[in-house]
Every structure is written in C-alpha cells, then in structure tokens.
Amino acid sequence: MSQTNLSVDVAVIGAGTAGLAAYRAAKAEGAKVVLIEGGPYGTSCARVGCMPSKLLIAAAEAAHHATRAEAFGVSVGQIEVDGRRVMERVRRERDRFVNFVVRDSLAIPESERLRGYARFENQRTLLVSDAENRMHAKVEARAVVVATGSTPTVLPMFDGLGDRLIVNDDVFEWQDLPKSVAVFGPGVIGLELGQALSRLGVRVRMFGVGGLIGPVTDPKIREEATRIFSQEFPLDTDANVHSLRRVLDQVEIDFEWAGERRRERFDYVLTATGRRPNLGRLALERTGVRLDDRGVPLFDSRPLQVLESRIFLAGDVNNVRPLLHEASDEGRIAGANAARFPNCTYGALSDVRPELAPQRRSALSIVFSDPQIAIIGSSWKELEAARDENRVIVGEVSFEDQGRSRVMLVNQGRLRLYADAREGRLLGAEMIGPRAEHIAHLLGWAHQQQQTVIDLLCMPFYHPVIEEGLRTALRDAAKQLEDRSGLQRRCA
C-alpha cells in the first residue's frame, strides 16, 4: 500500500458536526487543512441522534394524540400501530438526513480529505491507518483539532446479554417494534426513546439511579417530572436491580418494586447510562499531554486548547455541552484557534469574526419528551453558591391551571426561573411543561441579552397562549424583587 505524506497547517480528526465546522473555520482563516475520518460520513445527530429519535417521537405523538381524542368528544375508532411502517419511515427519513450531510462532506476536495483512523506519533505528527491498522498516510500539522465524538457507555452489569442488549444507535435499525423493552437510564436519551416506545405500544419499564431524571437539577422540577412520567409507564429513578440474565431470546430482570421482589422478562434492554469520549485510537500517551481520570486531556474550555499543547478538543469528545448547536460553535472556535496557533484567542474576543468563532451562547438544553424538559442559562445546581448567599430569587408557575394548557389538555408541568435578587437579571431556568422548547428559546434569548425580570414583563404577551404561564412566573419573581429590593414593576 502506497503512503501519502502531507504537510498542513491544521489537521481535523473527525468529520461530524464539530469536525466539519472546524474544517470550515480553519479554511476561512486561510489555513491549509486536512479532514480525517475513519468511519462513515454523516453526523451522529443525523445518523443515530437528534433526527431519527425525533422521527420515532413524531410517530409516538401521532398515536398519543389519537388515543386522547375521546377526551375532546372525538371518536377515532380502534388505534393500531404498524411497527414495520413506523420503523420503515424512521429509517427512510433518517437516511435522507444522513445523505444531506454526506453530500456536504464529499463536496470537500479529495486533496483535503483522508479516509482512515488517525493516531498521534507526537503532538504534530499523525499516522493514518485503515481498519486493519495498515498505515497509509502520514500528516505533519502545526495544530490538530480532535473532534471524534462519543460512544454509549455499557456497564459491566450488562455483560452476557448479547444481542438482547442495545444502545440508542441500534433502535433505528429495527425492522419492527418489539413487544417489550427495559430502559436503564432516565436521562435525555432514555426518556425520549422510552416514552416514544411506550406510546407506540411497547411495554416499557424504566430504571434509574440516585433519583436523577433527564438533565434536571432543580428538586421541585425533578419531583414534578418523576410524578408525570410515572403515570405513563413504570419508572423507578432509584432502582434496586439484583440481576440480569439472558433467557433464550429475552432478558430476565430480578429487581425490587414498591418494596416487593419481582422478576420480569423483556425482549431488549436499552442502556442509556451515559457516553464516553472516542479517544481510544488516538495514542494520546505519545503527545505528552496531561489526562484526567477519564483519559480526557486537560483543556481550557474557552479557546478549547489542550493545556500546553497544539491540540484542540471540540464537540462531544470534550463533554462540555454535548449538543449539536454547541458542537458546531465549538468546531468554529477550535478551528479558528488552530489556524492561528500559537496566537490562540478566546471564543469571546472581539478580534475573532463572529461567523468563525462566536461567543459562547447562553446554555440551552431541551428534552423532547412530553411534556418537554428544558434548562436555560445557569441551572439550579450551578447557582448553589449564589443561592446559599441569598442572592437568587425564584419565580414559579404550575401549568395545571394555565388557561391555554387546559384548553389543549396539556396542563402538566412547572417552570422555575432564577433571577439576581438585587437587579432582577435573569440567571437561568428549569422547567417541564407544554411547548417548553418555545419558552426555552424566549428565555435563552433573554438570558444572552442579560435582560431582567422587569424587561421581560414589558414584552407583549398574547391571550390565550401558553407563554402567559411564563408571565405568571415573571410576576412572581417581580413581586419578590419589589419586596426585597424595592424595584418597581413598570409593566403589568
């Protein structure tokens, strides 16, 4: 096999969302760049994440709305879910989204793309090999962006389950829906997929640890979320599981439920207990960089630069904010900084053109369950020190009696927004509730613009809309501000 030798300014490892953004940003800076990818083109979002999961959720919502039609006086007859047709559409539309990304990747000139798996020989030299570890390229780079993404974590407790154990990637390859699935991990992935499968007629039981649910940190929102989802399918957020064992083509789980010892069998066990960075192939030990206890290089999250090195980490591999829009932003920041190495800048500095290395946007996280979960800005946990010093007020609203929510029979959930106790500046919010994705965007924009509770109350609110619930929470916060700081409400 002939060997290719390249000398570039920037080498980008990984052609996912962060890698593609890093490639474009470095090119825009005038750098000579090569993009290295060993696996199939197409981002995690398009192939096994955001898009196929939303396709499954969309089918589940259609079934769920049909089952609730009677409550409005509308009869729709017997509801039947054709699992094969559901999964055929999921795969077909998933492939369509993937093809869009592949097309963009293949539009990159061949001279700037390398197929294969990269590993470090030293900080500025990469060896690129095929799946059988046969080296076919050597790349010398002034700086390297690592954007290799992450992989689902599989705990030892699941050993021996064989093909009855699945991760989220596997769900979207199903030809038909199974009859039963046990979900381990009521985080973002577990909640979204578990609820969708349940609404499509799959028997689902969900097991968690430590009372955690989704990304929620606010104890009142966590309690509300647990109550709501437990009404729809069996959910234990702090489960006591004694054993799992393969029995023919099923998995038998021995566990405790409501104080009783039980055994149940499921067609599959879906593990959604976290993800780990894809760093195993990179031979980072040859770079001399310092690693944390997970084997991840220590890095500065502002320029995304590994400490005392010419290496940058972008996207899910660094686990700062493992979300698509964050991966895109991080790719631009890391790519621009790699192109400028050693003159790196923070993502927020004014000399960086905003289209290349934008400021870190306000944190925004959404779970597409029903009702949806959202966290905006600083979470309850992140505000712990400020709360201890009595520097935070909390505005709150329940959606149970909110007008438009009751009209649509989606009146579940709670919003808690956090504001500075002196000036009323919005600090963050956590919520579970109807159309949370839209309220979350409104609050995310307000947070990034550093608006106050009073500023937001001066904004227009139509009637009747779900957003009026947000106004109720703002009024609650404004009343506290008036009592504590003497700030007067200028608007209703």
Side-chain angles (χ1 to χ4, degrees), residues 152-171 174 181-184 244 246 249-251 253 266-273:
T153 299
V154 179
L155 301 176
M157 66 183 290
F158 301 117
D159 289 349
L161 302 185
D163 63 1
R164 298 296 96 184
L165 177 69
I166 58 171
V167 297
N168 61 291
D169 304 30
D170 304 316
V171 170
W174 279 342
V181 175
V183 179
F184 280 78
L244 299 92
R246 175 78 176 260
D249 285 334
Q250 289 188 309
V251 175
I253 304 178
F266 299 87
D267 294 332
Y268 290 99
V269 168
L270 168 61
T271 174
T273 54

Side-chain angles (χ1 to χ4, degrees), residues 362-363 376-378 426-428 442-451:
S362 290
I376 305 96
S378 296
L426 180 65
L427 301 175
L442 295 178
L443 289 174
W445 297 344
H447 179 270
Q448 186 156 311
Q449 293 174 0
Q450 300 188 12
Q451 291 184 311

